[in-house]
Amino acid sequence: MGLFDDLFDFNGDGKTTWDEEYLAFKMFEECIKEQEEDLNDDFDSDLSDDAGGSERYEWRLYCEDGTEFGVDPEDYATEEEYAQALNEAKYGWREKYESVSDTAVDPEDYETEEEYRDAMEEEQTAWRDTCEDGAAYGVDPDDFESEEEYEEALDEARERAENGDIPLVFSVECPALDKLDEIKKEDFPNKRRYNAAYTLANQFLIYCDSDDEKKDKACCRFIGDYADTILAANYLSHDSGFLYAQAIKDNFTLPCSLPDEDETREMGFSAVLCKIAKRDISLSLKIWSWCFEQFWPYAEYDDSCGNDLSAQVILELYNFPDAYITRLVHYMSDNDSFCNAFITADNEPENSFPELIAQAIREELYKTAKVLFKSGLEKADGEWKTINELTDGVIYWCKNGEEVESVEYFRDELLPLVKAVPLGMVQDEIAQWEKGIDAYIDRVEDESERYAYTRKYAWRKTVPDGKKYDLDPIDYFTREEYLAALKEAKYGWRRWYKDSENYGLNPDSFETQEEYREALDTKRKEARQQEQDERQKEQLLAEEKKRKEYENDTTIYTYCGVLLPFSSHLYSFRTDDRTIQIGDTVIIPVGEEEKETEGRVVSVGQYTRLAVPYPVEKTKKIIRKAQKGAKS
């Protein structure tokens, strides 16, 4: 057969020769070429159609694919916005670890949250691979969270062994006994129940402490006697504690997978809850409550039960979905039995308790918040450091920068519980706590729009509107400052008129400058009219007086009409010289300087004051007659 079987047997001889295969290949190649051209045309068409033919979206063709992170370049107008969103989707998880991790593992060195968490867990437990072996003293590093705790326990065990308080533990090879041989794995539904039966039957087990032996055998008997009737017994491994993942897996329909656990724990309870919560928060809370009901009553058979069900979950809440803490405090508020079990499950005060309390306060679940806070104080058991850390923590988480009601509630309702603690190291901090709370409240009220018209700024809703003067109460911190500014804007103009001529008007009696100026203009016009009337009256009186003077003046005045050489106009002059006659040449004063000038008299007349041709007081007098033959 050829490359294309008999499909291209063109001559029908039942064979496909090499030249027929070559012809078929060329036809195939031509078809592929046409398809590629069609695809390119469609591609170019799509590109040209995008944004009206603009090339500004061409970057979408070459940018990094964000599908894995739920980020689509089509949702962003610029490459920068898309890159920023993609970066946030890829690495936003790093922010929540900035204040959590106390190891040398830096979130910035890891691409995914899973890689970082694996590295952090490896970093935190790496010491177990290099620490001193404590098996001879019955001390297992896997039972301790930190190297310091393990070394302390190992030192104590070594000291007790040296003092003869406990025997060293040695590996004992015991010969098979008939009784042990009778215990067969196939007779038990799971390996943990087989291990419990075998442990009870093995008389050659050596324990470091008689109490440990009693507890171990009591645990094995509990498993053997009640595994068929009590769920906790069925999921209990005498040397590994409760197998929560297996119990949950067997009793719930889950949205995710959990590991199989037969005799040892493969996944911690907190990790199980977290994995479920990422898919179904309600189910996670329901399972948590169920585990309290099923396992907590039998915590005597698992020393870590309380810590697993309570403190460890709270300690790792930062891994849970953001809404989990809010849902958790509401669940506590609605389920008293769950809340009580959570509080009593572990006697140690949890480091994450403050955040939980603050969230309950923020959700106005005050009863739950008070119960949790009182529990924290009781667990502190008089340790001033623990009490102060709890108080500092709640205040810190209440100060979210968005509202002040939470921290006010703590100050008024929960801080008094701390004030009642009779420890000097606690009492010394109270004034500072109150001062910090007050400063925070003032700052948030000043900066947050939420309180712009409430609380200490409620006055902003009741003061007069200043929009007409471009004044906004939100720009002022006190009612007095705003009212002073408003008064200045409304009445500041009054100062300009205090020292000016106001015609008896008081600027303080007017609301607006326009009203005052209108009244001032009216007063000014009235004053001017009055002044004008008085002048006219004085003028009339003067004229009347003058007229009377003229009427009483019986003097005969001699007026001469004088023609000047440089003018054809006739000018009137007075004279007391009765000898001057028409045709005489006289010397007269001319101009302001009264320059002596010759003129010829062309008329002479005598008049009373009322009949003179020109007012007497305004008429200049002839200086003298010109001497005959004299030259001017």
Side-chain angles (χ1 to χ4, degrees):
M1 292 292 181
L3 179 63
F4 301 96
D5 297 332
D6 293 331
L7 181 62
F8 298 104
D9 181 15
F10 298 109
N11 57 13
D13 62 357
K15 299 180 181 179
T16 303
T17 61
W18 69 268
D19 54 333
E20 290 175 328
E21 287 182 353
Y22 178 77
L23 179 60
F25 174 78
K26 297 301 291 183
M27 292 172 62
F28 179 78
E29 186 179 49
E30 188 67 20
C31 290
I32 293 297
K33 182 177 179 181
E34 291 177 359
Q35 290 178 354
E36 288 179 347
E37 289 176 352
D38 292 341
L39 287 174
N40 288 335
D41 290 340
D42 293 339
F43 181 84
D44 294 337
S45 176
D46 291 342
L47 181 62
S48 63
D49 290 342
D50 189 15
S54 173
E55 296 181 356
R56 59 179 176 173
Y57 298 118
E58 188 174 357
W59 59 269
R60 292 174 175 167
L61 305 175
Y62 312 107
C63 64
E64 181 180 352
D65 185 10
T67 305
E68 178 183 354
F69 305 99
V71 183
D72 188 347
E74 297 294 334
D75 297 332
Y76 299 89
T78 68
E79 186 173 6
E80 291 73 17
E81 292 178 357
Y82 173 70
Q84 183 177 358
L86 181 58
N87 188 69
E88 175 63 23
K90 292 174 65 176
Y91 305 118
W93 59 267
R94 292 173 175 170
E95 297 180 0
K96 66 180 179 181
Y97 292 103
E98 290 180 356
S99 61
V100 174
S101 177
D102 56 356
T103 70
V105 182
D106 188 350
E108 298 293 333
D109 297 333
Y110 298 89
E111 285 294 311
T112 68
E113 184 175 5
E114 289 70 21
E115 292 176 359
Y116 168 73
R117 289 179 59 186
D118 291 343
M120 187 168 66
E121 183 176 355
E122 182 178 350
E123 172 74 13
Q124 292 173 339
T125 60
W127 61 270
R128 293 174 178 166
D129 299 330
T130 58
C131 66
E132 181 182 353
D133 187 5
Y137 302 97
V139 183
D140 187 350
D142 290 338
D143 296 334
F144 299 88
E145 290 294 325
S146 68
E147 186 173 8
E148 292 74 15
E149 293 176 355
Y150 171 69
E151 290 179 349
E152 182 179 350
L154 182 58
D155 289 341
E156 291 178 358
R158 184 184 292 111
E159 183 178 353
R160 292 174 64 191
E162 291 173 354
N163 294 334
D165 295 337
I166 60 173
L168 292 178
V169 178
F170 297 99
S171 176
V172 180
E173 294 292 337
C174 299
L177 302 178
D178 292 341
K179 188 175 181 181
L180 291 179
D181 289 339
E182 293 176 359
I183 301 175
K184 302 182 182 300
K185 292 182 180 179
E186 56 268 22
D187 295 333
F188 296 88
N190 52 57
K191 194 170 182 179
R192 54 188 177 273
R193 292 173 66 170
Y194 162 76
N195 289 340
Y198 188 90
T199 300
L200 283 174
N202 191 350
Q203 299 298 319
F204 289 88
L205 281 176
I206 299 176
Y207 292 89
C208 298
D209 187 279
S210 60
D211 289 339
D212 289 340
E213 181 178 3
K214 291 178 181 178
K215 288 180 63 176
D216 192 35
K217 291 184 176 179
C219 180
C220 291
R221 282 193 293 270
F222 176 67
I223 296 172
D225 295 343
Y226 297 102
D228 291 329
T229 57
I230 298 177
L231 182 140
N234 185 46
Y235 293 99
L236 176 62
S237 171
H238 77 93
D239 54 358
S240 295
F242 292 120
L243 306 181
Y244 300 108
Q246 190 64 46
I248 294 169
K249 182 177 181 179
D250 291 346
N251 290 275
F252 288 89
T253 300
L254 302 175
C256 58
S257 299
L258 294 180
D260 291 327
E261 296 177 336
D262 191 5
E263 56 182 329
T264 59
R265 192 179 298 176
E266 300 293 335
M267 192 173 187
F269 178 71
S270 176
V272 172
L273 279 188
C274 182
K275 187 172 184 179
I276 297 171
K278 289 180 178 179
R279 296 159 177 82
D280 191 333
I281 292 178
S282 296
L283 179 59
S284 175
L285 293 170
K286 180 180 178 181
I287 289 174
W288 193 356
S289 180
W290 178 82
C291 287
F292 268 123
E293 295 172 0
Q294 300 298 329
F295 297 103
W296 175 236
Y298 309 99
E300 61 185 293
Y301 302 111
D302 181 356
D303 292 338
S304 65
C305 178
N307 182 269
D308 289 337
L309 294 177
S310 180
Q312 194 62 34
V313 180
I314 300 303
L315 187 63
E316 298 182 10
L317 278 178
Y318 64 88
N319 288 323
F320 284 64
D322 293 339
Y324 198 83
I325 293 181
T326 301
R327 298 281 293 276
L328 174 57
V329 293
H330 278 278
Y331 194 82
M332 287 181 172
S333 177
D334 297 335
N335 298 271
D336 290 340
S337 60
F338 173 79
C339 186
N340 291 333
F342 171 82
I343 291 171
T344 58
D346 190 59
N347 291 326
E348 293 296 323
E350 296 83 359
N351 293 333
S352 299
F353 234 41
E355 184 179 3
L356 204 61
I357 295 169
Q359 189 62 35
I361 295 173
R362 195 170 295 117
E363 296 296 317
E364 299 183 4
L365 305 174
Y366 300 127
K367 178 183 176 183
T368 302
K370 183 169 286 190
V371 168
L372 293 175
F373 190 71
K374 283 184 176 180
S375 170
L377 292 178
E378 292 172 0
K379 291 179 181 181
D381 196 25
E383 289 289 336
W384 66 268
K385 283 187 178 180
T386 306
I387 295 173
N388 288 357
E389 288 174 358
L390 175 65
T391 306
D392 278 329
V394 178
I395 292 175
Y396 170 81
W397 285 106
C398 283
K399 293 179 178 179
N400 61 356
E402 298 175 357
E403 47 86 21
V404 300
E405 286 78 8
S406 295
V407 77
E408 276 187 333
Y409 172 82
F410 178 82
R411 179 194 63 191
D412 299 337
E413 301 295 333
L414 301 186
L415 190 57
L417 301 178
V418 182
K419 292 180 179 179
V421 176
L423 296 175
M425 295 298 290
V426 175
Q427 295 296 319
D428 290 346
E429 301 300 317
I430 290 175
Q432 193 65 26
W433 284 327
E434 292 178 330
K435 182 179 178 181
I437 290 172
D438 291 341
Y440 166 80
I441 292 174
D442 282 340
R443 177 174 61 81
V444 174
E445 286 183 331
D446 290 343
E447 298 175 357
S448 175
E449 294 182 3
R450 179 175 183 171
Y451 303 109
Y453 296 95
T454 59
R455 297 173 62 86
K456 71 178 183 179
Y457 293 118
W459 59 265
R460 289 173 173 166
K461 295 189 294 186
T462 59
V463 292
D465 188 2
K467 290 182 180 178
K468 179 180 179 181
Y469 307 97
D470 291 328
L471 295 180
D472 191 336
I474 204 170
D475 296 328
Y476 299 87
F477 291 110
T478 67
R479 177 188 179 92
E480 291 69 25
E481 290 177 357
Y482 173 74
L483 292 179
L486 182 60
K487 182 178 180 181
E488 174 63 22
K490 292 177 67 175
Y491 306 121
W493 58 269
R494 292 172 174 173
R495 292 197 306 275
W496 307 342
Y497 299 96
K498 290 291 186 182
D499 299 326
S500 61
E501 178 61 45
N502 54 24
Y503 299 96
L505 295 176
N506 185 358
D508 294 340
S509 301
F510 296 86
E511 280 295 307
T512 67
Q513 184 179 8
E514 290 72 19
E515 293 175 357
Y516 173 75
R517 293 185 64 175
E518 184 177 347
L520 189 63
D521 288 343
T522 301
K523 283 288 187 181
R524 186 180 289 114
K525 290 178 182 179
E526 291 176 353
R528 288 176 180 174
Q529 185 62 46
Q530 184 178 355
E531 183 180 348
Q532 183 178 356
D533 292 344
E534 289 177 354
R535 283 201 303 268
Q536 289 179 351
K537 182 177 180 181
E538 290 175 358
Q539 184 177 357
L540 290 175
L541 290 174
E543 291 177 354
E544 180 64 21
K545 180 180 179 182
K546 184 183 293 185
R547 187 182 63 78
K548 289 183 178 181
E549 289 177 354
Y550 286 2
E551 288 178 352
N552 296 331
D553 188 0
T554 58
T555 304
I556 300 300
Y557 296 94
T558 300
Y559 274 71
C560 297
V562 179
L563 191 62
L564 299 178
F566 53 78
S567 175
S568 60
H569 181 72
L570 189 65
Y571 293 90
S572 295
F573 289 88
R574 287 191 300 119
T575 184
D576 294 329
D577 187 354
R578 297 290 185 95
T579 63
I580 295 176
Q581 298 178 358
I582 295 173
D584 290 342
T585 299
V586 294
I587 304 300
I588 55 175
V590 177
E592 292 182 359
E593 297 178 358
E594 296 190 349
K595 181 179 179 181
E596 293 185 358
T597 304
E598 286 186 352
R600 184 165 57 87
V601 178
V602 295
S603 66
V604 177
Q606 283 77 37
Y607 307 92
T608 62
R609 188 157 192 151
L610 289 173
V612 294
Y614 199 74
V616 174
E617 62 273 11
K618 294 182 179 181
T619 304
K620 295 180 179 181
K621 297 181 70 174
I622 294 173
I623 298 174
R624 64 182 181 277
K625 280 184 181 182
Q627 297 179 359
K628 293 182 179 181
K631 294 183 179 180
S632 59

